[in-house]
């Protein structure tokens, strides 16, 4: 059993309170390591370390910061297999997915911001011969970074990398449900020679560690990814303290399929956008709207293919779905299937726990589930389920489907399938979402703005948006005469 440690002031240390939380491997339903049950005392130590490191790190030349971050990126790549297995064991996702997506992306996050910072420039505004203004962009200080369990290292590093690239020091908290790869990352940071105190990782519960970061008076900026309810709580605490906030929250994304789409491409990608990572990606398209003329064709083909998706041991090459992240999450997802039935839905496939054999018998597996016959505005179609459950709804007109798509409290991502270019542009501009994918899904260029509208969040990550967030602009105006 591994005892995970906090990473504070360059060292791996025990939590002050010396207590630990059980860490489950969801694929077998058993405890396999222990997580520090840290509290505000550990956050205080981490903040002190970050404050002490800040004066030096904030003036360390960009080239040097970049060099260390590139080293971290290289080390993640070198440890790809070990990290992929660890991520799968902690989260339940297929090892193949962690190997192809999660871990390479974590390395890419460091690589991207290590180089982005070298190209980051600020503006100047000339007032002809009267004056010249220039904008200084300086690091803010100690940044709080709080991340969720669904893409553990991927999202954790998506915050840390721009924060330290722009000269901040960080107090970070990974999800207590999936802490392992953040712990492994702290070992790599030591190996890469990241100066002590630049990054501090405090493990533990949200209501203890996360809340202590949010309320800490010396942490002027919080970057959070997680549920909408938690985001609201963080905003409630942080807003009166005038902290800078970036909130990446929940989603209930529409996948809109017009009859003129490229059917084969669409069906292949739709299997992925529905069930990748067991449907536990904030960008999954869980509400599928299909133009009525191809509804039956879509339903038949889709359900046939979903039934063929293997749910199994995450280490097996042919497992398309692994375990969901925890027992309580499995129960929550299955309770939504019951709700859907009560709301008049018909389960076309799945809708139940999958019991595997042998050592996996106690794992948290759910069959990929497709439901039809629900109103667009019922709870099943309005609330985030965050599991392998999608609903099918036919539509007749573009106006109608836009109304369905925009009807939730969320507005993170949307997917549109059509070969009609004019319609693609028109629908994209009328969707209330921060991201629209046309004829694709999860195609990511790290330079693009990433985030949502309405209950899906405030602010944008990605590219220079994140560097803007992690720096404070100051205008200097010089009179010329
Ligand atoms: P969560 O909100 O329960 O937890 C997220 C993080 O916040 C965890 O580290 C948790 O410990 C911490 N936390 C909990 N309570 C806190 C508090 N009071 N103060 C400070 N921190 C606290 O979310 P989750 O269940 O881990 O993740 C799933 C959610 O994340 C889904 O809603 C999903 O849509 C969302 N998500 C959004 C994005 C995005 O980019 N918009 C990406 C991934 C996941």
């Amino acid at each position: 059993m591994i005892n995970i440690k906090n990473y504070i002031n360059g060292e791996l240390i025990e939590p002050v309170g010396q207590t630990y939380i059980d860490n489950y491997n969801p694929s077998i339903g058993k405890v396999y390591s222990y997580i520090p049950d840290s509290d505000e005392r550990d956050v205080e130590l981490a903040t002190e370390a970050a404050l002490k490191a800040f004066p030096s790190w904030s003036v360390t030349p960009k080239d040097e910061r970049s060099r260390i971050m590139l080293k971290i990126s290289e080390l993640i790549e070198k440890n790809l297999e070990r990290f992929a297995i660890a991520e799968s064991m902690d989260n339940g996702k297929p090892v193949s997915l962690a190997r192809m997506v999660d871990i390479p992306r974590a390395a890419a996050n460091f690589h991207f911001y290590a180089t982005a910072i070298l190209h980051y420039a600020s503006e100047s505004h000339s007032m002809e011969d009267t004056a010249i203004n220039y904008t200084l962009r300086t690091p803010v200080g100690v940044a709080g970074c709080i991340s969720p369990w669904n893409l553990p290292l991927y999202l954790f590093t998506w915050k840390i990398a721009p924060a330290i690239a722009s000269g901040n020091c960080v107090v970070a908290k990974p999800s207590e449900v999936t802490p392992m790869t953040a712990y492994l990352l702290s070992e790599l940071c030591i190996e890469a020679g990241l100066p002590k105190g630049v990054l501090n990782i405090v493990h533990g519960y949200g209501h203890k560690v996360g809340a202590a970061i949010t309320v800490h008076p010396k942490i002027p900026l919080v970057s959070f990814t997680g549920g909408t309810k938690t985001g609201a709580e963080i905003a409630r605490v942080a807003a009166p303290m005038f902290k800078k906030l970036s909130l990446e929250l929940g989603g209930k994304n529409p996948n809109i399929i017009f009859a003129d789409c490229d059917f084969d491409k669409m069906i292949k990608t739709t299997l992925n956008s529905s069930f990748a990572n067991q449907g536990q990606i904030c960008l999954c398209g869980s509400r599928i709207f299909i133009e009525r003329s191809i509804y039956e064709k879509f339903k038949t083909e889709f359900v046939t293919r979903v039934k063929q998706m293997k749910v199994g041991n995450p280490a097996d090459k042919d497992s398309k779905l692994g375990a969901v992240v925890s027992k309580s999450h499995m129960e929550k997802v299955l309770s939504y299937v019951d709700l859907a039935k009560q709301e008049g839905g018909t389960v076309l496939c799945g809708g139940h726990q999958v019991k595997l054999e042998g050592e996996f018998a106690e794992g948290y597996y759910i069959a990929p589930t497709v439901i039809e016959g629900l109103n667009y505005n019922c709870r099943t179609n309005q609330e985030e389920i965050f599991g392998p459950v999608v609903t099918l709804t036919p539509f007749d007109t573009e106006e109608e489907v836009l109304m369905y798509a925009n009807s939730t409290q969320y507005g993170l991502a949307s997917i549109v399938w059509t070969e009609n270019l004019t319609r693609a542009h028109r629908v994209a501009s009328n969707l209330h979402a921060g991201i629209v994918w046309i004829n694709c899904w999860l195609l990511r260029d790290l330079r693009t703005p990433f985030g949502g509208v309405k209950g899906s969040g405030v602010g944008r990550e990605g590219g220079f948006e994140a560097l803007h967030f992690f720096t404070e602009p100051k205008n200097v105006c010089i009179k010329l005469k």
Side-chain angles (χ1 to χ4, degrees), residues 146-150 155 173-176 204-207 210-211 214 224-228 230 233-234 248-251 282 384 386 412 450 456 461:
I146 304 173
S147 60
W149 51 255
N150 64 324
L155 291 173
K173 189 198 106 56
S175 169
E176 67 277 19
Y205 289 119
H207 67 272
T214 307
F224 170 79
T225 300
T228 298
T230 317
E233 169 62 13
I234 289 175
E248 299 292 338
L249 311 176
C282 53
E384 185 182 42
F386 215 54
L412 186 55
F450 179 89
S456 290
E461 297 187 311

Side-chain angles (χ1 to χ4, degrees), residues 269-313:
T269 305
T270 295
L271 287 169
N272 223 357
S273 65
S274 302
F275 300 116
N277 206 36
Q278 298 71 246
Q280 303 165 134
I281 302 183
C282 53
L283 306 163
C284 280
S286 54
R287 293 180 296 148
I288 308 180
F289 299 111
I290 308 109
E291 197 165 358
R292 196 177 300 276
S293 60
I294 60 161
Y295 184 81
E296 288 303 322
K297 179 181 173 197
F298 173 85
K299 178 170 120 181
T300 309
E301 184 67 28
F302 187 64
V303 170
T304 305
R305 296 216 203 174
V306 173
K307 283 181 178 164
Q308 290 162 2
M309 294 178 92
K310 185 181 158 195
V311 181
N313 170 4

Side-chain angles (χ1 to χ4, degrees), residues 141-368:
V142 180
C145 298
I146 304 173
S147 60
W149 51 255
N150 64 324
L151 301 168
L153 194 66
Y154 174 133
L155 291 173
F156 192 59
T157 52
W158 184 229
K159 299 184 177 305
I160 289 166
I164 65 175
S166 46
N168 299 281
C169 294
V170 171
V171 176
K173 189 198 106 56
S175 169
E176 67 277 19
V177 187
T178 53
M180 188 56 81
T181 47
Y183 172 59
L184 299 179
L185 175 72
S186 48
E187 294 179 337
L188 298 191
C189 290
I190 295 171
E191 191 180 340
L194 187 69
K196 59 183 187 182
V198 171
L199 171 62
N200 303 276
I201 302 176
V202 185
H203 294 273
Y205 289 119
H207 67 272
K208 288 186 174 179
V209 178
I213 291 173
T214 307
V215 80
H216 200 293
K218 301 237 166 85
I219 301 182
L221 152 161
V222 177
S223 173
F224 170 79
T225 300
T228 298
K229 245 173 124 175
T230 317
E233 169 62 13
I234 289 175
R236 188 187 67 75
V237 174
M241 299 176 79
F242 307 111
K243 295 194 178 204
K244 269 186 119 173
L245 281 182
S246 166
L247 302 172
E248 299 292 338
L249 311 176
K252 186 76 179 176
N253 309 306
N255 178 4
I256 303 172
I257 299 168
F258 286 98
D260 69 353
C261 70
D262 180 326
F263 194 85
D264 290 342
K265 268 194 209 154
M266 175 278 295
I267 211 108
K268 221 169 133 214
T269 305
T270 295
L271 287 169
N272 223 357
S273 65
S274 302
F275 300 116
N277 206 36
Q278 298 71 246
Q280 303 165 134
I281 302 183
C282 53
L283 306 163
C284 280
S286 54
R287 293 180 296 148
I288 308 180
F289 299 111
I290 308 109
E291 197 165 358
R292 196 177 300 276
S293 60
I294 60 161
Y295 184 81
E296 288 303 322
K297 179 181 173 197
F298 173 85
K299 178 170 120 181
T300 309
E301 184 67 28
F302 187 64
V303 170
T304 305
R305 296 216 203 174
V306 173
K307 283 181 178 164
Q308 290 162 2
M309 294 178 92
K310 185 181 158 195
V311 181
N313 170 4
D316 282 353
K317 277 197 185 69
D318 55 348
S319 292
K320 292 280 182 274
L321 286 87
V324 298
V325 78
S326 65
K327 187 158 190 276
S328 60
H329 191 60
M330 175 176 74
E331 285 162 358
K332 179 195 144 185
V333 172
L334 291 174
S335 78
Y336 270 101
V337 178
D338 289 339
L339 175 69
K341 289 181 197 157
Q342 285 163 29
E343 290 184 318
T346 305
V347 176
L348 301 173
C349 64
H352 54 83
Q353 185 180 356
V354 176
K355 280 279 182 191
L356 299 183
E357 305 205 320
E359 71 167 312
F360 302 99
E362 300 303 315
Y364 317 132
Y365 299 90
I366 300 178

